[in-house]
Amino acid sequence: MGSHRRPAAPTGPDRCVRTATITVLSAAAALAAAPAGAAPQEPRADTKAKVDRLYEQAEQATEAYNKADERADTLRGQVDRAKDRVARGQERINTMRGALGSLAGAQYRAGGIDPALALMLSSDPDGYLDKASALSRLSARQSGELTKLQQAQRALSQERAEATRKLTELEKSRKTVARHKRTVESKLAKARQLLNSLPKEERDADGRSSRSGRGELPDLAGAGAPASSRAAAAIAAARSAVGKPYVWGANGPSGFDCSGLTQWSYSRAGVGLPRTSQAQAGAGRQVPLSQAQPGDLVAYRDDASHIGMYVGNGQVVHAPYPGAAVRYDPVGMMPVSSVTRV
């Protein structure tokens, strides 16, 4: 037990450290001395609100990353196709140049003397004129074709340069989003530390903590039939992913973000879905929540920044947020913005 005798007042850096320590200890003592139903309630509410805000920001950042990544893939395909067209155009130009070179050689050999003199000396003037006319037409046609191909090559080169520029810009944008996501993840970790510092009873009272282990199949008695055979296959795939970690920007099979899980699940059923939750929300027919069937996609929040798959009986399977595994949760865990039947 330390002595309560007041020590001599320190000076210099040691005094700063001692002052800071006393301040922190005083704040901690004040918090501990507060009535159980009074002041501590507000920090707990603030902490939960902060966690909710940070999780929402994390998903928005993840969706922005996914959208940028999807656009980058599209641009990569455009660049590859442009390169192929340029290569084919160059090959045609090279072939044409070879033919024109042969023609030029023949013309040079035939035109070694003045055309008028060659005509006069020709034993077959009509034949000579026909040949000269044909060579002239061929040369003009080949020259025109070469001009067109050169123009096409220039256009394709410009197209490739533009696509490459867009891709470079998009890669920069994706890196910016990734940096932002790392910042959000850091905030999430701090928020989780705050929640974990609360007593167990209070952690259990928090909705997120109490659902953190929901990996077992919920009671789906009377859940109803899936909307289609492909919906049934997608549900089976999503259930097989339960317990896999949430990994931002991932679409399986070892980790998922929310839209990555639904995209991967439906891909197992032979259905291609867009990458982002916003796009997936518009990838089918909208139905009321009251008419939801297993396999339907449930989008959350006004901006549809989160999405899960309805499995029936008021339950969805989804990849919730960083630090949590794919799991089951009540369909009303947050505000529903739309229900989509694929």
Side-chain angles (χ1 to χ4, degrees), residues 49 56 86 104 125 143 182 194 197 220 239 246 249 256 288 292 301 323 336:
E56 183 175 353
V86 169
S143 178
R182 287 194 295 270
L194 289 175
S197 68
L220 298 180
R239 287 177 176 173
Y246 180 106
F256 305 88
R301 307 190 188 103
V336 174

Side-chain angles (χ1 to χ4, degrees), residues 53-333:
R53 254 190 334 267
L54 288 170
Y55 279 128
E56 183 175 353
Q57 291 171 7
E59 288 198 301
Q60 290 169 345
T62 300
E63 288 299 290
Y65 175 88
N66 290 337
K67 186 179 295 183
D69 192 46
E70 188 174 42
R71 289 178 61 197
D73 287 341
T74 299
L75 276 178
R76 287 191 191 98
Q78 292 176 356
V79 169
D80 290 342
R81 289 190 294 273
K83 287 180 178 179
D84 289 341
R85 289 195 298 269
V86 169
R88 288 194 299 270
Q90 185 64 59
E91 184 177 353
R92 291 172 59 197
I93 288 173
N94 292 340
T95 301
M96 187 64 72
R97 281 176 175 167
L100 287 174
S102 299
L103 177 61
Q107 288 174 329
Y108 176 79
R109 290 190 296 273
I113 60 175
D114 182 83
L117 180 58
L119 177 62
M120 290 176 62
L121 297 176
S122 175
S123 60
D124 183 8
D126 290 338
Y128 175 84
L129 288 173
D130 289 342
K131 181 180 178 181
S133 177
L135 287 173
S136 178
R137 288 195 303 272
L138 181 60
S139 177
R141 186 173 69 252
Q142 297 285 55
S143 178
E145 288 297 318
L146 177 58
T147 299
K148 290 179 182 178
L149 287 172
Q150 288 172 332
Q151 291 173 346
Q153 183 186 30
R154 285 194 294 269
L156 287 171
S157 295
Q158 291 172 358
E159 179 183 347
R160 180 176 60 185
E162 177 66 13
T164 301
R165 183 187 66 80
K166 288 181 180 179
L167 182 58
T168 300
E169 290 180 358
L170 210 56
E171 291 291 346
K172 291 180 181 178
S173 174
R174 187 171 66 172
K175 290 179 181 178
T176 299
V177 174
R179 286 196 299 271
H180 175 63
K181 184 61 170 62
R182 287 194 295 270
T183 300
V184 174
E185 284 182 325
S186 174
K187 293 179 181 180
L188 284 172
K190 292 177 182 177
R192 292 304 300 175
Q193 287 176 354
L194 289 175
L195 284 177
N196 290 336
S197 68
L198 296 174
K200 183 178 183 302
E201 308 80 54
E202 296 178 12
R203 291 201 309 272
D204 290 343
D206 180 74
R208 295 186 185 277
S209 297
S210 64
R211 296 198 301 269
S212 62
R214 294 199 54 173
E216 296 182 359
L217 181 66
D219 180 13
L220 298 180
S228 63
S229 58
R230 59 188 185 182
I235 292 172
R239 287 177 176 173
S240 73
V242 170
K244 298 290 181 64
Y246 180 106
V247 178
W248 72 270
N251 59 349
S254 57
F256 305 88
D257 59 26
C258 67
S259 57
L261 173 65
T262 48
Q263 183 189 49
W264 178 82
S265 298
Y266 263 100
S267 73
R268 302 302 95 181
V271 179
L273 288 181
R275 181 62 182 90
T276 65
S277 59
Q278 292 94 338
Q280 289 180 11
R285 178 168 62 91
Q286 302 289 305
V287 297
L289 178 59
S290 60
Q291 298 178 17
Q293 293 180 250
D296 290 347
L297 302 178
V298 183
Y300 293 92
R301 307 190 188 103
D302 291 340
D303 60 356
S305 57
H306 186 76
I307 199 161
M309 184 183 298
Y310 189 67
V311 294
N313 205 24
Q315 300 289 315
V316 294
V317 60
H318 68 135
Y321 48 81
V326 175
R327 70 190 189 197
Y328 301 98
D329 269 317
V331 68
M333 60 185 171

Side-chain angles (χ1 to χ4, degrees), residues 7 10 12-30:
D14 183 62
R15 179 177 184 177
C16 295
V17 172
R18 183 67 59 84
T19 301
T21 303
I22 291 174
T23 300
V24 172
L25 292 176
S26 298

